[in-house]
Amino acid sequence: MVLFLGAALVAAAVVLFIVQPVAKGLHASLEREEDELTETEARKRVALLALRDVEYDYLAGKLDENDYRSLKGELTAEALAALEADEKARSGSLSGGAAAALEAEIAEARAGLSSGMYCPECGFLNEPGSRFCSSCGHALDRTAAV
Ligand SMILES: [Zn+2]
Protein backbone atom coordinates (compact mmCIF):
# COMPACT_ATOMS: atom_id res chain seq x y z
CA MET A 1 0.00 0.00 0.00
CA VAL A 2 2.70 2.45 1.00
CA LEU A 3 4.74 1.46 -2.03
CA PHE A 4 1.71 1.92 -4.27
CA LEU A 5 1.08 5.41 -2.89
CA GLY A 6 4.75 6.15 -3.35
CA ALA A 7 4.64 4.96 -6.92
CA ALA A 8 1.52 7.05 -7.57
CA LEU A 9 3.23 10.11 -6.10
CA VAL A 10 6.28 9.56 -8.23
CA ALA A 11 4.11 9.04 -11.30
CA ALA A 12 2.36 12.32 -10.49
CA ALA A 13 5.75 13.90 -10.19
CA VAL A 14 6.71 12.55 -13.58
CA VAL A 15 3.59 14.21 -15.01
CA LEU A 16 4.50 17.48 -13.35
CA PHE A 17 8.07 17.07 -14.44
CA ILE A 18 6.88 16.90 -18.03
CA VAL A 19 4.01 19.40 -17.80
CA GLN A 20 5.59 22.06 -15.64
CA PRO A 21 8.09 23.62 -18.05
CA VAL A 22 5.32 23.86 -20.66
CA ALA A 23 2.88 25.34 -18.16
CA LYS A 24 5.45 27.91 -17.19
CA GLY A 25 6.08 28.73 -20.84
CA LEU A 26 9.72 27.75 -20.50
CA HIS A 27 9.70 25.12 -23.22
CA ALA A 28 11.33 27.57 -25.59
CA SER A 29 14.26 28.08 -23.24
CA LEU A 30 14.96 24.63 -21.86
CA GLU A 31 18.69 25.12 -22.06
CA ARG A 32 18.58 28.16 -19.90
CA GLU A 33 16.36 26.33 -17.46
CA GLU A 34 19.03 23.64 -17.09
CA ASP A 35 21.45 26.30 -15.95
CA GLU A 36 18.97 27.54 -13.37
CA LEU A 37 18.30 24.16 -11.81
CA THR A 38 18.65 24.18 -8.07
CA GLU A 39 20.40 21.34 -6.31
CA THR A 40 17.10 19.76 -5.23
CA GLU A 41 15.62 20.13 -8.71
CA ALA A 42 18.65 18.47 -10.26
CA ARG A 43 18.42 15.61 -7.77
CA LYS A 44 14.71 15.18 -8.48
CA ARG A 45 15.32 15.24 -12.22
CA VAL A 46 18.06 12.61 -12.01
CA ALA A 47 15.87 10.33 -9.89
CA LEU A 48 12.85 10.69 -12.19
CA LEU A 49 14.90 10.10 -15.32
CA ALA A 50 16.46 7.01 -13.76
CA LEU A 51 12.97 5.76 -12.92
CA ARG A 52 11.87 6.26 -16.51
CA ASP A 53 14.95 4.42 -17.76
CA VAL A 54 14.08 1.48 -15.53
CA GLU A 55 10.55 1.41 -16.97
CA TYR A 56 11.89 1.52 -20.51
CA ASP A 57 14.51 -1.16 -19.85
CA TYR A 58 11.90 -3.41 -18.29
CA LEU A 59 9.46 -2.87 -21.18
CA ALA A 60 12.32 -3.50 -23.63
CA GLY A 61 13.09 -6.79 -21.86
CA LYS A 62 16.52 -5.66 -20.66
CA LEU A 63 15.61 -6.18 -17.01
CA ASP A 64 14.07 -9.24 -15.44
CA GLU A 65 11.20 -8.79 -13.02
CA ASN A 66 13.30 -9.13 -9.86
CA ASP A 67 15.83 -6.53 -10.98
CA TYR A 68 13.01 -4.28 -12.11
CA ARG A 69 11.23 -4.49 -8.76
CA SER A 70 14.31 -3.90 -6.65
CA LEU A 71 15.57 -1.05 -8.85
CA LYS A 72 12.17 0.53 -8.96
CA GLY A 73 11.81 0.30 -5.19
CA GLU A 74 15.17 1.98 -4.65
CA LEU A 75 14.57 4.69 -7.23
CA THR A 76 11.06 5.37 -6.00
CA ALA A 77 12.40 5.93 -2.50
CA GLU A 78 15.10 8.23 -3.86
CA ALA A 79 12.65 10.12 -6.06
CA LEU A 80 10.28 10.62 -3.12
CA ALA A 81 13.10 11.89 -0.91
CA ALA A 82 14.21 14.22 -3.70
CA LEU A 83 10.65 15.45 -4.24
CA GLU A 84 10.22 16.21 -0.58
CA ALA A 85 13.49 18.09 -0.47
CA ASP A 86 12.53 19.99 -3.60
CA GLU A 87 9.08 20.87 -2.29
CA LYS A 88 10.59 22.20 0.93
CA ALA A 89 13.08 24.27 -1.05
CA ARG A 90 10.31 25.49 -3.33
CA SER A 91 7.82 26.46 -0.65
CA GLY A 92 10.39 28.88 0.68
CA SER A 93 10.91 30.63 -2.65
CA LEU A 94 7.49 30.46 -4.29
CA SER A 95 4.99 33.28 -4.04
CA GLY A 96 1.51 32.34 -2.82
CA GLY A 97 0.08 32.31 -6.34
CA ALA A 98 2.77 30.07 -7.78
CA ALA A 99 2.46 27.65 -4.86
CA ALA A 100 -1.32 27.48 -5.41
CA ALA A 101 -0.81 26.85 -9.13
CA LEU A 102 1.63 24.04 -8.33
CA GLU A 103 -0.87 22.50 -5.91
CA ALA A 104 -3.58 22.68 -8.58
CA GLU A 105 -1.27 20.91 -11.04
CA ILE A 106 -0.54 18.20 -8.48
CA ALA A 107 -4.27 17.78 -7.78
CA GLU A 108 -4.95 17.47 -11.51
CA ALA A 109 -2.17 14.92 -11.93
CA ARG A 110 -3.51 12.90 -9.00
CA ALA A 111 -7.04 12.94 -10.45
CA GLY A 112 -5.65 11.71 -13.76
CA LEU A 113 -3.74 8.96 -11.99
CA SER A 114 -6.67 7.76 -9.93
CA SER A 115 -8.95 7.63 -12.97
CA GLY A 116 -6.28 5.79 -14.94
CA MET A 117 -6.16 8.42 -17.65
CA TYR A 118 -2.52 9.21 -17.08
CA CYS A 119 -0.38 7.63 -19.79
CA PRO A 120 2.37 5.49 -18.23
CA GLU A 121 4.34 5.79 -21.45
CA CYS A 122 4.51 9.51 -22.19
CA GLY A 123 2.81 11.13 -19.18
CA PHE A 124 -0.02 12.65 -21.18
CA LEU A 125 -3.25 13.28 -19.22
CA ASN A 126 -6.06 11.87 -21.34
CA GLU A 127 -9.80 12.55 -21.38
CA PRO A 128 -11.72 10.42 -18.85
CA GLY A 129 -12.82 7.16 -20.48
CA SER A 130 -9.94 7.04 -22.96
CA ARG A 131 -8.65 3.55 -23.63
CA PHE A 132 -5.57 4.65 -25.51
CA CYS A 133 -3.31 7.63 -25.03
CA SER A 134 -4.25 10.51 -27.34
CA SER A 135 -0.62 11.52 -27.45
CA CYS A 136 1.28 8.30 -28.15
CA GLY A 137 -1.39 5.60 -28.59
CA HIS A 138 -0.24 3.55 -25.60
CA ALA A 139 -2.98 1.37 -24.04
CA LEU A 140 -4.23 2.93 -20.79
CA ASP A 141 -5.73 -0.17 -19.18
CA ARG A 142 -2.52 -0.98 -17.29
CA THR A 143 -2.96 1.87 -14.82
CA ALA A 144 -6.76 1.42 -14.72
CA ALA A 145 -6.29 -2.21 -13.68
CA VAL A 146 -4.03 -1.39 -10.71
ZN1 LIG B 1 1.07 8.38 -24.11
Side-chain angles (χ1 to χ4, degrees):
M1 191 59 182
V2 172
L3 188 62
F4 172 75
L5 283 176
L9 272 176
V10 169
V14 172
V15 175
L16 287 176
F17 175 65
I18 295 161
V19 166
Q20 232 180 301
V22 181
K24 282 181 181 171
L26 288 175
H27 56 290
S29 55
L30 274 176
E31 272 183 32
R32 206 187 50 170
E33 195 204 0
E34 296 281 349
D35 294 337
E36 291 169 1
L37 277 182
T38 64
E39 193 182 319
T40 53
E41 276 173 340
R43 187 180 160 204
K44 181 177 77 170
R45 185 167 288 219
V46 166
L48 292 175
L49 284 175
L51 205 51
R52 281 198 85 162
D53 284 348
V54 166
E55 293 286 350
Y56 281 130
D57 284 352
Y58 177 62
L59 288 172
K62 289 183 198 164
L63 283 174
D64 69 29
E65 179 131 14
N66 284 339
D67 286 345
Y68 168 71
R69 279 174 196 275
S70 71
L71 270 173
K72 189 164 181 178
E74 276 174 34
L75 289 170
T76 299
E78 165 60 18
L80 278 175
L83 272 176
E84 244 171 67
D86 188 45
E87 250 164 55
K88 269 180 203 159
R90 235 172 240 276
S91 63
S93 61
L94 280 183
S95 68
L102 188 64
E103 296 237 331
E105 279 178 32
I106 292 171
E108 192 188 335
R110 284 202 178 125
L113 281 170
S114 61
S115 61
M117 294 304 110
Y118 156 70
C119 176
E121 188 65 22
C122 71
F124 187 81
L125 272 174
N126 291 280
E127 292 293 308
S130 308
R131 300 199 56 187
F132 297 93
C133 176
S134 319
S135 177
C136 73
H138 190 82
L140 296 172
D141 54 6
R142 200 187 74 165
T143 40
V146 170

